Amino acid sequence: MTHVAPVGGTAVQDHVALAEIELCGELMIAASAAHGERLSLESIDEVLNVAHAPGPPATP
């Protein structure tokens, strides 16, 4: 006997988990497009749409 979730509003969605799955998929696509090369940290940040806040100025 196969159990199937009922149609309607009973399904629970974990929006954080869905977002993480989407990001993992984007990384897999980028990695496959790299043709065996490692993705740089900058490339990963670009795929994940990560913006780094500027840090404090370097002291000499």
Side-chain angles (χ1 to χ4, degrees):
M1 175 183 234
T2 303
H3 295 281
V4 178
V7 177
T10 61
V12 176
Q13 290 187 359
D14 184 340
H15 297 287
V16 174
L18 292 173
E20 289 178 357
I21 292 167
E22 184 176 341
L23 290 174
C24 287
E26 294 295 327
L27 280 174
M28 285 189 271
I29 291 167
S32 67
H35 305 291
E37 298 293 321
R38 289 186 137 201
L39 293 175
S40 67
L41 294 178
E42 291 81 17
S43 296
I44 293 171
D45 287 348
E46 185 178 329
V47 168
L48 299 179
N49 199 22
V50 175
H52 294 284
T59 56

Coordinates of all heavy atoms in Angstrom, one line a residue:
M1 N 0.8 -1.2 0.0 CA 0.0 0.0 0.0 C 0.9 1.2 0.0 O 1.8 1.3 0.8 CB -0.9 0.0 1.2 CG -1.7 1.2 1.4 SD -2.7 1.1 2.9 CE -4.3 1.4 2.2
T2 N 0.6 2.2 -0.9 CA 1.4 3.4 -1.0 C 0.6 4.5 -0.3 O -0.6 4.7 -0.5 CB 1.6 3.8 -2.5 OG1 2.2 2.7 -3.1 CG2 2.4 5.1 -2.6
H3 N 1.4 5.3 0.6 CA 0.8 6.4 1.3 C 1.1 7.7 0.5 O 2.3 7.9 0.2 CB 1.3 6.5 2.7 CG 0.9 5.3 3.6 ND1 -0.4 5.2 4.1 CD2 1.5 4.2 3.9 CE1 -0.5 4.1 4.8 NE2 0.7 3.4 4.7
V4 N 0.1 8.5 0.2 CA 0.3 9.7 -0.5 C -0.2 10.8 0.4 O -1.3 10.7 1.0 CB -0.4 9.7 -1.8 CG1 -0.3 11.0 -2.5 CG2 0.0 8.5 -2.7
A5 N 0.5 11.9 0.5 CA 0.1 13.1 1.2 C -1.2 13.6 0.7 O -1.4 13.7 -0.5 CB 1.1 14.2 1.2
P6 N -2.2 13.9 1.5 CA -3.5 14.4 1.1 C -3.3 15.8 0.4 O -2.4 16.6 0.7 CB -4.3 14.6 2.3 CG -3.3 14.6 3.5 CD -2.1 13.9 3.0
V7 N -4.2 16.0 -0.6 CA -4.1 17.3 -1.3 C -4.8 18.3 -0.4 O -5.8 18.1 0.2 CB -4.9 17.2 -2.7 CG1 -5.0 18.5 -3.4 CG2 -4.3 16.1 -3.5
G8 N -4.2 19.5 -0.4 CA -4.8 20.6 0.4 C -3.7 21.3 1.2 O -2.5 21.2 0.9
G9 N -4.1 22.0 2.2 CA -3.2 22.8 3.0 C -2.5 22.1 4.1 O -2.2 22.8 5.1
T10 N -2.4 20.8 4.1 CA -1.8 20.1 5.2 C -0.2 20.0 5.0 O 0.4 19.6 6.0 CB -2.4 18.7 5.3 OG1 -2.1 18.0 4.1 CG2 -3.8 18.7 5.6
A11 N 0.3 20.3 3.9 CA 1.7 20.2 3.7 C 2.5 21.3 4.4 O 2.0 22.4 4.4 CB 2.1 20.2 2.2
V12 N 3.6 20.9 5.0 CA 4.4 21.9 5.8 C 5.6 22.2 4.9 O 6.2 21.3 4.4 CB 4.8 21.3 7.1 CG1 5.7 22.3 7.8 CG2 3.6 21.0 8.0
Q13 N 5.9 23.4 4.7 CA 7.1 23.8 4.0 C 8.1 24.5 4.9 O 7.7 25.4 5.6 CB 6.7 24.8 2.8 CG 5.9 24.1 1.7 CD 5.8 25.0 0.5 OE1 6.2 26.2 0.5 NE2 5.1 24.6 -0.5
D14 N 9.3 24.0 4.8 CA 10.4 24.6 5.6 C 11.1 25.5 4.6 O 11.9 25.1 3.8 CB 11.3 23.5 6.1 CG 12.4 24.1 7.0 OD1 12.7 25.3 6.9 OD2 13.0 23.3 7.8
H15 N 10.8 26.8 4.7 CA 11.4 27.8 3.7 C 12.9 27.9 3.8 O 13.5 28.1 2.8 CB 10.7 29.1 3.9 CG 9.2 29.1 3.6 ND1 8.7 29.0 2.4 CD2 8.2 29.1 4.5 CE1 7.4 29.0 2.4 NE2 7.0 29.1 3.7
V16 N 13.4 27.7 5.0 CA 14.9 27.8 5.1 C 15.5 26.6 4.4 O 16.5 26.7 3.7 CB 15.3 27.8 6.6 CG1 16.8 27.7 6.8 CG2 14.8 29.1 7.2
A17 N 14.9 25.4 4.6 CA 15.5 24.2 4.0 C 15.3 24.3 2.5 O 16.3 23.9 1.7 CB 14.7 22.9 4.5
L18 N 14.2 24.8 2.0 CA 14.1 25.0 0.5 C 15.1 25.9 0.0 O 15.6 25.7 -1.1 CB 12.6 25.4 0.2 CG 11.5 24.4 0.5 CD1 10.2 25.1 0.3 CD2 11.7 23.2 -0.4
A19 N 15.4 27.0 0.7 CA 16.4 28.0 0.2 C 17.8 27.3 0.2 O 18.6 27.5 -0.8 CB 16.4 29.2 1.1
E20 N 18.1 26.5 1.2 CA 19.4 25.8 1.2 C 19.5 24.8 0.1 O 20.6 24.7 -0.5 CB 19.6 25.1 2.6 CG 19.8 26.1 3.7 CD 19.9 25.3 5.1 OE1 19.8 24.1 5.1 OE2 20.2 26.0 6.0
I21 N 18.4 24.1 -0.2 CA 18.5 23.2 -1.3 C 18.7 23.9 -2.6 O 19.5 23.5 -3.5 CB 17.1 22.4 -1.4 CG1 17.1 21.4 -0.2 CG2 17.0 21.6 -2.7 CD1 15.7 20.8 0.1
E22 N 18.0 25.1 -2.8 CA 18.2 25.9 -4.0 C 19.7 26.3 -4.1 O 20.3 26.3 -5.2 CB 17.3 27.1 -4.0 CG 17.3 27.9 -5.3 CD 16.3 29.0 -5.3 OE1 15.3 29.0 -4.5 OE2 16.5 29.9 -6.1
L23 N 20.3 26.8 -3.0 CA 21.6 27.3 -3.1 C 22.6 26.1 -3.4 O 23.6 26.3 -4.2 CB 22.0 27.9 -1.8 CG 21.4 29.2 -1.5 CD1 21.7 29.7 0.0 CD2 21.8 30.3 -2.5
C24 N 22.3 24.9 -2.8 CA 23.2 23.8 -3.2 C 23.1 23.4 -4.6 O 24.1 23.1 -5.3 CB 22.7 22.6 -2.3 SG 23.2 22.7 -0.6
G25 N 21.9 23.5 -5.2 CA 21.7 23.3 -6.6 C 22.5 24.3 -7.5 O 23.1 23.9 -8.4
E26 N 22.5 25.5 -7.1 CA 23.2 26.5 -7.8 C 24.7 26.3 -7.7 O 25.4 26.4 -8.7 CB 22.9 27.9 -7.2 CG 21.5 28.4 -7.4 CD 21.1 28.6 -8.9 OE1 22.0 29.0 -9.7 OE2 20.0 28.4 -9.2
L27 N 25.2 25.8 -6.6 CA 26.6 25.5 -6.4 C 27.0 24.3 -7.3 O 28.0 24.2 -7.9 CB 27.0 25.2 -5.0 CG 27.2 26.4 -4.1 CD1 27.4 26.0 -2.7 CD2 28.4 27.2 -4.6
M28 N 26.1 23.3 -7.4 CA 26.4 22.1 -8.2 C 26.4 22.5 -9.7 O 27.3 22.0 -10.4 CB 25.3 21.0 -8.0 CG 25.5 20.3 -6.6 SD 24.4 18.9 -6.5 CE 23.0 19.7 -5.8
I29 N 25.5 23.4 -10.1 CA 25.5 23.8 -11.5 C 26.8 24.5 -11.8 O 27.5 24.3 -12.8 CB 24.3 24.7 -11.8 CG1 23.0 23.9 -11.7 CG2 24.4 25.4 -13.1 CD1 21.7 24.7 -11.7
A30 N 27.2 25.4 -10.9 CA 28.5 26.2 -11.1 C 29.7 25.2 -11.1 O 30.6 25.4 -11.9 CB 28.7 27.2 -10.0
A31 N 29.7 24.2 -10.2 CA 30.8 23.3 -10.2 C 30.9 22.5 -11.4 O 32.0 22.2 -12.0 CB 30.7 22.4 -8.9
S32 N 29.7 22.1 -12.0 CA 29.8 21.3 -13.2 C 30.2 22.1 -14.4 O 30.8 21.6 -15.3 CB 28.4 20.6 -13.5 OG 27.4 21.6 -13.8
A33 N 29.9 23.4 -14.4 CA 30.3 24.3 -15.4 C 31.8 24.6 -15.4 O 32.4 25.1 -16.3 CB 29.5 25.6 -15.4
A34 N 32.4 24.3 -14.2 CA 33.9 24.6 -14.0 C 34.8 23.6 -14.7 O 36.0 23.7 -14.7 CB 34.2 24.7 -12.6
H35 N 34.2 22.5 -15.2 CA 34.9 21.5 -16.0 C 36.1 20.9 -15.2 O 37.2 20.8 -15.6 CB 35.4 22.0 -17.3 CG 34.3 22.6 -18.1 ND1 33.3 21.8 -18.7 CD2 34.0 23.8 -18.5 CE1 32.5 22.5 -19.4 NE2 32.8 23.8 -19.2
G36 N 35.8 20.5 -13.9 CA 36.8 19.8 -13.1 C 37.7 20.7 -12.3 O 38.5 20.2 -11.5
E37 N 37.6 22.0 -12.6 CA 38.4 22.9 -11.8 C 37.7 23.3 -10.5 O 36.5 23.2 -10.4 CB 38.7 24.2 -12.6 CG 39.4 24.0 -13.9 CD 40.9 23.6 -13.7 OE1 41.5 24.1 -12.7 OE2 41.3 22.7 -14.4
R38 N 38.5 23.6 -9.5 CA 37.9 24.1 -8.2 C 37.3 25.5 -8.4 O 37.9 26.3 -9.0 CB 38.9 24.1 -7.1 CG 39.3 22.7 -6.7 CD 40.2 22.8 -5.5 NE 39.8 21.7 -4.6 CZ 40.1 21.7 -3.3 NH1 40.8 22.6 -2.8 NH2 39.6 20.7 -2.6
L39 N 36.2 25.7 -7.8 CA 35.6 27.0 -7.7 C 36.4 27.9 -6.7 O 36.7 27.5 -5.6 CB 34.2 27.0 -7.3 CG 33.2 26.4 -8.3 CD1 31.8 26.3 -7.6 CD2 33.1 27.1 -9.6
S40 N 36.7 29.1 -7.1 CA 37.4 30.0 -6.2 C 36.4 30.5 -5.2 O 35.2 30.4 -5.4 CB 38.0 31.2 -7.0 OG 37.0 32.0 -7.5
L41 N 36.9 31.0 -4.1 CA 36.0 31.6 -3.1 C 35.2 32.7 -3.6 O 34.0 32.8 -3.3 CB 36.8 32.0 -1.8 CG 37.5 30.9 -1.1 CD1 38.3 31.5 0.1 CD2 36.6 29.9 -0.5
E42 N 35.8 33.5 -4.5 CA 35.1 34.6 -5.1 C 33.9 34.1 -6.0 O 32.9 34.6 -6.0 CB 36.0 35.5 -6.0 CG 37.0 36.2 -5.1 CD 38.2 35.4 -4.7 OE1 38.5 34.3 -5.3 OE2 38.9 35.8 -3.8
S43 N 34.2 33.0 -6.7 CA 33.2 32.4 -7.6 C 32.0 31.8 -6.7 O 30.8 32.0 -7.1 CB 33.7 31.2 -8.4 OG 34.7 31.7 -9.3
I44 N 32.4 31.2 -5.6 CA 31.3 30.6 -4.7 C 30.5 31.8 -4.2 O 29.3 31.7 -4.1 CB 32.0 29.8 -3.6 CG1 32.6 28.5 -4.2 CG2 31.0 29.5 -2.5 CD1 33.5 27.8 -3.2
D45 N 31.2 32.9 -3.7 CA 30.4 34.0 -3.2 C 29.5 34.6 -4.2 O 28.4 35.0 -3.9 CB 31.4 35.1 -2.7 CG 32.1 34.7 -1.4 OD1 31.6 33.7 -0.8 OD2 33.0 35.4 -1.0
E46 N 30.0 34.6 -5.5 CA 29.1 35.2 -6.6 C 27.9 34.3 -6.8 O 26.8 34.8 -7.0 CB 30.0 35.3 -7.9 CG 29.2 35.9 -9.0 CD 30.1 36.1 -10.2 OE1 31.3 36.2 -10.1 OE2 29.5 36.0 -11.3
V47 N 28.1 33.0 -6.8 CA 27.0 32.0 -7.0 C 26.0 32.2 -5.9 O 24.8 32.2 -6.1 CB 27.5 30.6 -7.1 CG1 26.4 29.6 -7.0 CG2 28.3 30.4 -8.4
L48 N 26.5 32.3 -4.7 CA 25.6 32.4 -3.5 C 25.1 33.8 -3.3 O 24.3 34.1 -2.3 CB 26.3 31.9 -2.2 CG 26.7 30.4 -2.3 CD1 27.5 30.1 -1.0 CD2 25.6 29.5 -2.5
N49 N 25.5 34.8 -4.1 CA 25.1 36.2 -4.0 C 25.5 36.7 -2.6 O 24.7 37.4 -1.9 CB 23.6 36.3 -4.3 CG 23.3 37.8 -4.6 OD1 24.1 38.5 -5.0 ND2 22.0 38.1 -4.4
V50 N 26.7 36.5 -2.2 CA 27.2 37.0 -0.9 C 28.0 38.3 -1.2 O 28.9 38.3 -2.0 CB 28.2 35.9 -0.3 CG1 28.8 36.4 1.0 CG2 27.4 34.6 0.0
A51 N 27.7 39.3 -0.4 CA 28.4 40.5 -0.4 C 29.1 40.7 0.9 O 28.5 40.5 2.0 CB 27.4 41.7 -0.6
H52 N 30.4 41.0 0.8 CA 31.2 41.2 2.0 C 31.2 42.6 2.4 O 31.4 43.5 1.5 CB 32.6 40.7 1.8 CG 32.7 39.2 1.6 ND1 32.6 38.3 2.6 CD2 32.9 38.5 0.4 CE1 32.7 37.1 2.1 NE2 32.9 37.2 0.8
A53 N 30.9 42.9 3.6 CA 31.0 44.3 4.1 C 32.5 44.7 4.2 O 33.3 43.8 4.6 CB 30.4 44.4 5.5
P54 N 32.8 45.9 3.9 CA 34.2 46.3 3.9 C 34.7 46.2 5.4 O 33.9 46.6 6.3 CB 34.2 47.7 3.4 CG 32.8 48.2 3.4 CD 31.9 46.9 3.4
G55 N 35.9 45.7 5.6 CA 36.4 45.6 6.9 C 37.1 46.9 7.3 O 37.2 47.9 6.5
P56 N 37.7 47.0 8.5 CA 38.4 48.2 8.9 C 39.7 48.3 8.1 O 40.2 47.3 7.6 CB 38.7 47.9 10.4 CG 38.6 46.4 10.5 CD 37.6 45.9 9.5
P57 N 40.2 49.5 7.9 CA 41.4 49.7 7.1 C 42.6 49.0 7.7 O 42.6 48.9 9.0 CB 41.6 51.2 7.1 CG 40.6 51.8 8.0 CD 39.6 50.7 8.4
A58 N 43.4 48.5 6.9 CA 44.6 47.8 7.4 C 45.6 48.8 8.1 O 45.7 49.9 7.6 CB 45.3 47.1 6.3
T59 N 46.1 48.4 9.2 CA 47.1 49.2 9.9 C 48.5 48.8 9.4 O 48.8 47.6 9.4 CB 47.0 49.1 11.4 OG1 47.1 47.8 11.8 CG2 45.6 49.7 11.9
P60 N 49.4 49.8 9.2 CA 50.7 49.5 8.7 C 51.6 48.9 9.8 O 51.4 48.9 10.9 CB 51.3 50.8 8.2 CG 50.3 51.9 8.7 CD 49.1 51.2 9.2

